[in-house]
Amino acid sequence: MPFYIRKSVKAGPFRFNLSKSGVGISAGIKGLRIGTGPRGHYIHAGRGGLYYRSTIPSGTGQRKTASATFPAPNPPPRPLGTSEPNVEMVRISSGDVMEMEDARFSDILAELNAKQISTSLRVALGWTAAAVALLATVIAGVGGFIGGAILVGLALWIGGWFDSYRRTSILMYDLTDANLAAYELVTTSFDAMMKCAGKWHVDASGAVRDIHTWKRNAGAAHIVDKRPTVFDYSLPRVVTSNITPPAIKCGKETLFFLPDFLLVVESNKVGAVSYDTLSIRWEPSNFIEDGTVPHDTQIIGQTWKHPNKNGGPDRRFANNYQIPICRYESIYLTSVNGLNELLQVSRGGVTEPFARNLRALSAVNRTAVLQPALPAI
């Protein structure tokens, strides 16, 4: 299982450290660091086996850090190989990501969106250095070219170093035992979907309404426009965290299943969907597969490239071959604030555990929020 929790995260010159006492932060260079944490401020210096560490007095005393809590049987379709003028295709896509808001995550969303649209110093310095390098090459020849190349490399490194924390938000998770157990179940069920040989995002669907289109498409009741997609573990460009969450590429959006909410990223826009507002539906999907059949799918029958009304082959077509009907599984994710994505995997029995475990995680998150408000007994 790729899911794990790191104890420290680096962002530029800063390092965030997670311990049982809470979260600490330090900054500096090799051999000298100044930091602060649950036990106060400190300075650490030394190299080559000789080190010095001292506590820096604070007039405000020690600060206590609490553990983080959290808020809560129709004829099968077939892929659209060519344009079908008699089929009205309906897009299956999410609304504007910027409309996917939740008051509980407004602060982090505002920060992430600001980071997304901020100018990259690496790009700006790189282009500036490239212009200087070009000018130096024209003036000084080979020597100018070598010096310019060094300047470009240095500009890219410095710009990337500044961008690593200036354009990055730190999300440090200190999960309770209940949250950790629930989230591990989510990632375990996600692993099962990730291992499927076939994974697709459905962009559009349309109903077949006339006999000629029905014959051309192997007797399919619906035609879908879908393409292979990616299930993996990753983070958005603007986030550094001690947790690497499950991620699904859904067309122009990417969904990141964090422990406390679903992060939706599209280009320079970031939105959030709370798990208690996320609706997940799944169902087996019989699919006429005119392409490569995934090795892990179940073939439940056969149809003809050009069938008769009774299901047999239409003898008027010379090249009329059989096509397998595969048992895939579909998962449909929607939310009240605009999420609308349809996915398909090649193996059955893997989407229901994922949906069930996400609901369980949502219940644990709501309990974590309510617990501090309960009266002492």
Side-chain angles (χ1 to χ4, degrees), residues 30-45:
K30 188 173 182 179
L32 175 64
R33 299 195 72 83
I34 299 176
T36 183
R39 298 182 180 179
H41 313 307
Y42 64 89
I43 182 171
H44 184 277

Side-chain angles (χ1 to χ4, degrees), residues 15 22 42 51 70 91 98 149 163 174 255 264 271 336 362 374:
R15 180 182 294 145
Y42 64 89
Y51 297 95
F70 303 90
R91 298 289 301 176
M98 295 299 291
D163 283 346
D174 186 9
L255 312 182
V264 185
V336 294
S362 175
L374 295 176

Side-chain angles (χ1 to χ4, degrees), residues 197-265:
K199 300 177 283 290
W200 303 272
H201 176 254
V202 180
D203 294 324
S205 175
V208 175
R209 304 186 185 279
D210 66 278
I211 187 66
H212 300 292
T213 304
W214 182 83
K215 278 182 175 291
R216 284 197 304 270
N217 290 278
H222 287 80
I223 293 176
V224 300
D225 182 7
K226 68 176 187 177
R227 62 205 66 211
T229 192
V230 177
F231 289 48
D232 66 0
Y233 284 79
S234 62
L235 280 166
R237 177 190 60 79
V238 295
V239 174
T240 296
S241 177
N242 62 325
I243 286 180
T244 304
I248 301 177
K249 180 68 176 175
C250 294
K252 60 184 183 299
E253 296 92 10
T254 303
L255 312 182
F256 298 91
F257 294 85
L258 293 169
D260 45 352
F261 66 96
L262 175 62
L263 190 66
V264 185
V265 178

